[in-house]
Amino acid sequence: MKQIDASDFGVKSQQDITENLIKLLSYIKTVDGEKTITFENGTYYIDSEKCIKQMLYITNTTGDEEYAKHETPHLNTIAFYLKDISDLTIDGNNSVFIIEGKATNIALINSQNIIIKNLEIRHTHPDMHELKVVRKSVFSVDFEIDKDSLYEFQKGKMYFHGKDYRVPADKDAKFSWWIGLIRKETPDKVKRVTHPLVAKLKIKDLGNRKIRVFYPNTSRFKIGDCYYIYDVRRQFAGIFIDKSKNVTLQNIKQRFNYSLALVVQDSENLTIESVDFSPEKNSTRKLCSVADFIQLCMCRGKMTVKNSYFDGAGDDCLNVHGIHFKITEIKDNKIKVRFMHPQTHGFNPLRVADEIAFINPETMLETGRAVIKDSTLLNEQEILLTLENIDKAVVGDVIEDISACPDLDFINNTSTRIITRGLLITTRGKVNVENNHFISTTMSGILLSDDANNWYESGMCCDVTIKNNTFDYCGETPILIKPENKNHCGAVHKNIKIIGNTFNKYDGEAINIKSTDNVYIKDNKFLDDDYLVTKNCTQIRKN
């Protein structure tokens, strides 16, 4: 085991470490065998202008058409860039790394046997801004702006600014339906609303971080409510893991992310333990991630998330899924398939020897299977597959790579202020969701989905246990099992156990199940006896 002290490479506390960090991580690629990088405990600064820039195609992030004219699609600024590395431990020694500017915090590419632990990542003046209602009248509202935000007025127009951005405070206000709102009386709940500056007449700077906004009507505002304005484009990621194997993230804190906090793509065997994705304790902000906290896409092996805390996401807490690729052409023993969602493309997770299933998008059921003999990425959108047989391939149907369906353990975690769902589960692997505390989700606490018409996220669930969890509040059905089949020709999901859970407050029924077979419901605590709704289901056993 080779021990490497980061300070020997000029990476020292209270300094801009950007260039020396690049040198250190480049050196690591030349070191064979097991090795550990240790940082002295302290605070380190990273400048986005000096960071490495690489093309990264990250699932569920910015689509090509979402980039501005001056931006290069998929060009990522990266603080910690790790590629083609094996047998490495990075120990931050509980240090804080502060990034100035927009960046992907960590990118781990084509690496294996990696442990990253004991570090905290923050961003200075992030492009997420809290407007708190401190006064209102019939025609005006006074907002207080959070202490992290920088803003200015120019020619009567208000702008938020920071390193790498300067945007009008009312940018896209007419079309911004994703704005976060946390009301004073329900501080743990966040929901999506329209922009607080939509329909404004003018804005006046009152000084001392306060502004007065004039409206034709102010009835939608309440004193003490907090609105969160942010760029929803998902241009970067917190931590991005791609084509890697045997990775552990332990005791990592991320205080802000310009997109999803963690994306794991086309990778195998991941352990996430004792991470904390939440705003700084002294921050007035109550949101810390623009989108999902964790996205697991086209992964394999075992995915484990345990003993962790998630607070303030602009989308799901965790989403595990594959991709439904649409068949666009069949010739000889080859099929051409296409990425269908604009935010996911540009990489090839379909491997030689993988088994694929042909799926009818109307019924979401299998029509046959085949094995991949060759797989070639033709362009950002299309993949050419050579198959052992194409007997069941139909143009317009989709394929699911059933070799890329990981097992998932989500155990002993707490999540709160989740603007959509707690868990979105769409995998054939064995799933265990146990001993978690879902404090607040605006939508369902757990959704078992599967669709080939919208996000194209696959696939069917075949073995899911939901046990001993507490749902304190869900804005919609806490456990929703809803494959997106248009025609019911048979069960899509099967083998679901819902045991020993506590449902404290929710809208509607506690459990809603569609097109699913073999569901076992036992020893749960509900608000009332009308807790279950089913449609096109068989073998529903209650005890």
Side-chain angles (χ1 to χ4, degrees), residues 198-260:
V198 74
K200 69 169 178 55
L201 300 174
K202 65 177 181 178
I203 304 178
K204 181 180 179 181
D205 186 6
L206 301 179
N208 197 27
R209 310 195 69 80
K210 292 185 176 64
I211 59 172
R212 179 165 296 164
V213 185
F214 296 87
Y215 301 92
N217 184 295
T218 62
S219 59
R220 64 184 168 124
F221 299 104
K222 296 181 180 179
I223 293 176
D225 288 353
C226 295
Y227 291 83
Y228 293 87
I229 301 172
Y230 50 90
D231 183 355
V232 77
R233 292 187 306 158
R234 305 181 172 196
Q235 190 173 358
F236 300 96
I239 301 171
F240 176 50
I241 300 172
D242 186 33
K243 292 188 180 300
S244 296
K245 183 177 180 180
N246 302 333
V247 178
T248 296
L249 305 177
Q250 186 176 26
N251 189 30
I252 293 178
K253 300 176 177 65
Q254 289 193 101
R255 301 309 189 185
F256 178 79
N257 301 281
Y258 278 104
S259 176
L260 305 102

Side-chain angles (χ1 to χ4, degrees), residues 4-13 15 17 20-21 24 37-41 44:
I4 300 164
D5 192 333
S7 64
D8 290 342
F9 289 78
V11 179
K12 297 183 178 181
S13 179
Q15 295 181 10
I17 65 168
N20 288 331
L21 181 62
L24 169 60
I37 301 174
T38 302
F39 292 82
E40 294 179 355
N41 177 264
Y44 300 85

Side-chain angles (χ1 to χ4, degrees), residues 403-527:
S403 298
C405 296
D407 295 338
L408 170 68
D409 279 353
F410 190 84
I411 299 173
N412 198 32
N413 304 294
T414 298
S415 69
T416 186
R417 282 187 281 256
I418 307 299
I419 211 166
T420 50
R421 294 149 295 238
L423 305 182
L424 177 49
I425 299 171
T426 322
T427 178
R428 296 180 186 231
K430 183 178 179 62
V431 175
N432 184 35
V433 179
E434 187 170 357
N435 293 330
N436 301 287
H437 191 185
F438 299 94
I439 295 174
S440 176
T441 60
T442 300
M443 299 170 69
S444 294
I446 299 174
L447 168 62
L448 275 57
S449 187
D450 190 16
D451 95 273
N453 295 284
N454 185 16
W455 283 90
Y456 289 85
E457 293 181 353
S458 65
M460 57 186 67
C461 296
C462 299
D463 186 350
V464 178
T465 299
I466 303 170
K467 183 178 180 180
N468 295 340
N469 303 283
T470 299
F471 300 88
D472 270 350
Y473 171 78
C474 296
E476 297 179 1
T477 301
I479 297 178
L480 178 61
I481 302 174
K482 185 183 178 183
E484 299 297 326
N485 53 332
K486 295 182 179 180
N487 301 320
H488 177 80
C489 295
V492 178
H493 298 317
K494 62 183 179 181
N495 303 330
I496 315 297
K497 301 181 184 70
I498 304 172
I499 302 170
N501 302 283
T502 300
F503 301 83
N504 286 328
K505 186 176 181 181
Y506 47 88
D507 292 342
E509 63 281 350
I511 304 171
N512 190 312
I513 308 173
K514 171 192 172 187
S515 298
T516 301
D517 283 353
N518 194 22
V519 180
Y520 183 47
I521 302 171
K522 179 183 178 181
D523 295 337
N524 299 282
K525 297 179 181 179
F526 302 100
L527 290 177

Side-chain angles (χ1 to χ4, degrees), residues 256-271:
F256 178 79
N257 301 281
Y258 278 104
S259 176
L260 305 102
L262 170 63
V263 179
V264 186
Q265 175 178 291
D266 191 16
S267 294
E268 183 176 353
N269 298 338
L270 170 78
T271 299

